[in-house]
Amino acid sequence: RHPMPTIEELLITKPIKDPYNRALLSIMYTGSWLVSRITKLLKPYDISEPQYNVLRILRGQHGKPINMFAVQSRMLQRMSNVSRLVDKLVEKGLVQRTQTKETRRMVDLTITEKGLALLTELDPVIGDYMHNIARNLKKDEARTLSEWLDILRNE
């Protein structure tokens, strides 16, 4: 492993003495850093990270429709403008939207063949990136980190 810059070096600040504050800043910085890396990978495919997230959720439905509220609740970044995000995916032909018979206000979403094909193309790209991250973290370290983050979210 090569030495990585500390959070203080990245933020160009004096040492952060409070370990909780330091951990929180480091988590926030790293989350933003990861999203920006994924965004850069997705740019040539004309898709945003939240759009990619929606497509992955829909692929996980294995062809079964899901309503927009359920999609929103499963997203990594909960957004208020999911309908606009879905509009763009529909325009690109990656998602199909149908009004439910029970209530016209509810909208069911399914991924199209074109959406599935895009994800199939993206799988190795994102997989390679994840593999590169894995070089910095051993499997047991990744497991421990995940457990710590689960504990942190336990409010």
Side-chain angles (χ1 to χ4, degrees), residues 29-40:
Y29 182 91
T30 304
S32 177
W33 175 82
L34 285 168
V35 169
S36 72
R37 302 290 276 253
I38 296 289
T39 298
K40 209 178 285 183

Side-chain angles (χ1 to χ4, degrees), residues 97-153:
R97 179 179 33 212
T98 50
Q99 285 189 329
T100 58
K101 292 175 183 73
E102 303 88 51
T103 167
R104 293 184 45 158
R105 281 176 14 115
M106 288 291 260
V107 174
D108 277 341
L109 304 172
T110 49
I111 190 167
T112 64
E113 287 299 320
K114 185 177 177 183
L116 287 170
L118 176 61
L119 285 182
T120 300
E121 193 177 341
L122 281 168
D123 284 342
V125 174
I126 301 297
D128 286 349
Y129 178 66
M130 294 302 176
H131 182 72
N132 283 338
I133 287 178
R135 290 189 312 199
N136 292 335
L137 216 51
K138 295 181 186 127
K139 256 189 189 164
D140 60 328
E141 292 171 330
R143 265 189 221 100
T144 301
L145 176 60
S146 292
E147 289 167 10
W148 288 347
L149 293 171
D150 288 345
I151 291 167
L152 180 67
R153 287 189 309 275

Side-chain angles (χ1 to χ4, degrees), residues 8-146:
E8 289 87 354
E9 290 168 338
L10 291 167
L11 298 178
I12 312 166
T13 187
K14 60 186 183 295
I16 303 166
K17 290 181 176 40
D18 180 347
Y20 295 104
N21 192 18
R22 187 172 193 277
L24 184 66
L25 287 172
S26 191
I27 290 167
M28 291 171 64
Y29 182 91
T30 304
S32 177
W33 175 82
L34 285 168
V35 169
S36 72
R37 302 290 276 253
I38 296 289
T39 298
K40 209 178 285 183
L41 287 175
L42 295 173
K43 194 170 179 68
Y45 299 89
D46 190 31
I47 190 168
S48 68
E49 185 275 328
Q51 289 173 338
Y52 174 70
N53 189 199
V54 168
L55 290 176
R56 298 254 331 209
I57 292 165
L58 295 178
R59 177 171 66 179
Q61 288 295 109
H62 305 286
K64 290 192 332 225
I66 183 174
N67 72 52
M68 199 154 353
F69 300 111
V71 169
Q72 186 173 18
S73 71
R74 294 181 187 184
M75 290 183 70
L76 291 173
Q77 298 172 350
R78 307 265 157 77
M79 318 174 78
S80 57
N81 62 346
V82 173
S83 57
R84 210 171 69 208
L85 193 99
V86 168
D87 287 345
K88 290 182 179 182
L89 290 169
V90 169
E91 283 172 30
K92 294 176 184 184
L94 302 172
V95 169
Q96 184 175 352
R97 179 179 33 212
T98 50
Q99 285 189 329
T100 58
K101 292 175 183 73
E102 303 88 51
T103 167
R104 293 184 45 158
R105 281 176 14 115
M106 288 291 260
V107 174
D108 277 341
L109 304 172
T110 49
I111 190 167
T112 64
E113 287 299 320
K114 185 177 177 183
L116 287 170
L118 176 61
L119 285 182
T120 300
E121 193 177 341
L122 281 168
D123 284 342
V125 174
I126 301 297
D128 286 349
Y129 178 66
M130 294 302 176
H131 182 72
N132 283 338
I133 287 178
R135 290 189 312 199
N136 292 335
L137 216 51
K138 295 181 186 127
K139 256 189 189 164
D140 60 328
E141 292 171 330
R143 265 189 221 100
T144 301
L145 176 60
S146 292

